[in-house]
Structure formats: structure tokens, C-alpha cells
Amino acid sequence: MPSDAEWTVRYGIRSGHENARGNEADMLAFDPQYRNAHDLGDYGKIKTVTAEEIDDLAEYVLKIGGQQADAAKAARGGVLFLDNAKGNCADCHTDEATGNPALGSTDLTRPKLYLWGSDRASIVESITKGRAGTMPSFEKTLKPEELKAVSIYAWSRAAKEPPVNTAGP
């Protein structure tokens, strides 16, 4: 929604503003050695997926983004993506993998929107090391009409590409 884009431009993502999106979440590092203090407090050093399972998850992300992927690995990754005891990716990215704007999670069906790269190696790194990207709040730096203009522009650019059909793992 255009109002979602305006909210994000106005308040940011994990920007420190009390109304910022994503304050309650970041991309968990599935390899515990890369977890931040907050995630270590929540998850400790428990390792829920193996390196091979991370590869399977990456193949699934490639598949749902319309990229070339190994079908067998992607099928296993799709199961992990939805498994709330192991992968639990759907908790933030949704069952359809379209992302949750309130959390600032990426729409995985649209690789052009990935902030950290959409190639296999970048996806594996995101899953392994986690991500906690930020976007500043522009509430005090842009005039109301500038906030609106930037928001409309950003929304119009993001709305140009329809989501890829993600009918199952």
C-alpha cells in the first residue's frame, strides 16, 4: 500500500524511531557464531539447521524468486522454510514468501528487492550470518510534501513487478 511506503520513509526501518518498522525483529543468523547479543539472548547458541539445510533453503529462495535452482534441494528447502521448529522462515517472510512490511522482511518472490544480493552465495550468506539492515527516519529531514513524493515514487517503482507465483514448496 502507498501508506506503507510513506510510513517507512517517514519513520524508517530499525532507525531508532519509536514508530520505525522492524524494531522487534531482524534476520536471525542461523549459524550461532554470527548472532548479535539480542538473538543470543533469545535463541542462545542452538543450531536448528545444518550447512546442507542452509543450501536447501537457498535453493528454495532461488526457486520462488524465479531463478534457476536445483529442484530436489528447493523441495527440501520449501519444507524447512515452513517448518516452525527448524527453518521458521515463514514466520517473518510469510507462507507465500512475500515478506511482512511491519517487520521489514524482504519479499523473497522479487529478487530485485533483495538488499544484500540475489545470487546463491549472497542468499547463503544472509541465511548463515543474518541481516539487520536499517533505513533512517526522514520525518525531520523532509517536508511533508517531499515525504509524500518520495513515498509515491518508491511505491510506484516497487509495484511495477508482480509477485512470482509461489504455489507450494
Side-chain angles (χ1 to χ4, degrees), residues 17-161:
H17 192 285
E18 65 180 326
N19 294 325
R21 296 187 185 284
N23 285 333
E24 66 286 336
D26 56 26
M27 171 71 189
L28 174 69
F30 280 86
D31 185 332
Q33 71 176 320
Y34 298 106
R35 290 195 181 137
N36 62 34
H38 175 264
D39 289 339
L40 280 170
D42 285 349
Y43 300 97
K45 294 190 177 202
I46 188 170
K47 193 169 190 175
T48 60
V49 293
T50 66
E52 293 78 21
E53 289 169 325
I54 288 173
D55 287 341
D56 291 346
L57 284 164
E59 291 299 318
Y60 179 66
V61 171
L62 288 166
K63 176 189 169 215
I64 62 177
Q67 300 185 76
Q68 188 174 23
D70 178 289
K73 286 183 174 188
R76 291 190 302 266
V79 172
L80 285 167
F81 187 91
L82 297 170
D83 182 340
N84 66 3
K86 286 185 68 73
N88 199 22
C89 309
D91 195 36
C92 295
H93 291 283
T94 75
D95 289 351
E96 296 78 26
T98 54
N100 181 340
L103 299 177
S105 62
T106 302
D107 179 344
L108 298 174
T109 67
R110 299 176 65 192
K112 290 182 181 180
L113 300 180
Y114 296 9
L115 296 177
W116 308 100
S118 61
D119 60 284
R120 184 175 281 101
S122 296
I123 294 167
V124 167
E125 183 175 354
S126 290
I127 297 167
T128 302
K129 295 183 177 179
R131 300 292 187 190
T134 62
M135 177 182 155
S137 166
F138 290 96
E139 180 181 43
K140 294 183 179 180
T141 57
L142 296 176
K143 298 176 197 170
E145 61 273 15
E146 292 171 330
L147 279 168
K148 185 72 72 178
V150 168
S151 302
I152 291 169
Y153 175 76
W155 184 81
S156 72
R157 299 291 298 165
K160 289 195 181 283
E161 182 182 344

